[in-house]
Amino acid sequence: MSNMQTLRQILHRIDGRSYPAYKDIRGSYRFSDFTLFVDHVQGDPFAAPSRLRVCVPLVEGGFLFATRSSKIRQIALRDFLARMFSAACRTATDRRGSGKSGLLRMDAPGQEILERSAIVVTDKFVEARFT
């Protein structure tokens, strides 16, 4: 697993190059309190978006056991986190270039509270999946 500095070096090296060069960032990168996984990198500005995950150790997230002590609480926690992450993506998005370049997105929940795969909560970590 690489670290934040390695990712920064790769990004500086490929800055301004063509889309195929961006495939070099695929992999996992350890930051101080989370790990970023770049699972898929889009091949061109109009291709399916890149897929990423952020994994935060449960102790870093500060979620009390009570927030995940039953199935319904786990569903509610995951739904809440998906709503918050989706809203943060809309705020942080800085559209650049052509196509959907620069867009951050997580499937935005509707008004129903449902089980979702965009957020995973285990006894060890919380993971957010996004594009």
Side-chain angles (χ1 to χ4, degrees), residues 8-23:
R8 183 172 294 169
Q9 290 170 350
I10 294 169
L11 291 173
H12 282 297
R13 179 175 49 79
I14 65 176
D15 187 32
R17 293 184 53 202
S18 64
Y19 259 85
Y22 284 85
K23 291 197 180 284

Side-chain angles (χ1 to χ4, degrees), residues 58 68 74 77-78 81 119-123 125-127:
L58 205 55
R68 59 191 203 297
Q74 289 175 18
L77 174 63
R78 289 173 27 213
L81 293 173
I119 300 285
V120 175
V121 178
T122 72
D123 289 337
F125 62 85
V126 175
E127 180 179 276

Side-chain angles (χ1 to χ4, degrees), residues 5-115:
Q5 188 59 33
T6 303
L7 177 59
R8 183 172 294 169
Q9 290 170 350
I10 294 169
L11 291 173
H12 282 297
R13 179 175 49 79
I14 65 176
D15 187 32
R17 293 184 53 202
S18 64
Y19 259 85
Y22 284 85
K23 291 197 180 284
D24 291 354
I25 65 172
R26 191 176 2 193
S28 57
Y29 302 92
R30 180 78 182 125
F31 289 71
S32 59
D33 52 357
F34 67 92
T35 302
L36 172 67
F37 296 90
V38 181
D39 296 319
H40 167 77
V41 178
Q42 68 190 90
D44 66 68
F46 300 99
S50 299
R51 289 188 306 272
L52 300 99
R53 295 177 287 140
V54 171
C55 191
V56 178
L58 205 55
V59 294
E60 295 288 337
F63 300 107
L64 301 174
F65 176 73
T67 62
R68 59 191 203 297
S69 61
S70 68
K71 184 163 177 81
I72 193 70
R73 286 179 182 234
Q74 289 175 18
I75 292 169
L77 174 63
R78 289 173 27 213
D79 184 87
F80 172 76
L81 293 173
R83 289 172 194 283
M84 295 298 102
F85 195 96
S86 182
C89 284
R90 286 190 300 276
T91 302
T93 290
D94 185 15
R95 192 170 192 161
R96 298 173 183 216
S98 55
K100 295 184 179 181
S101 299
L103 294 179
L104 292 175
R105 192 167 164 239
M106 175 183 275
D107 287 337
Q111 75 182 63
E112 306 86 2
I113 297 176
L114 303 170
E115 280 199 73

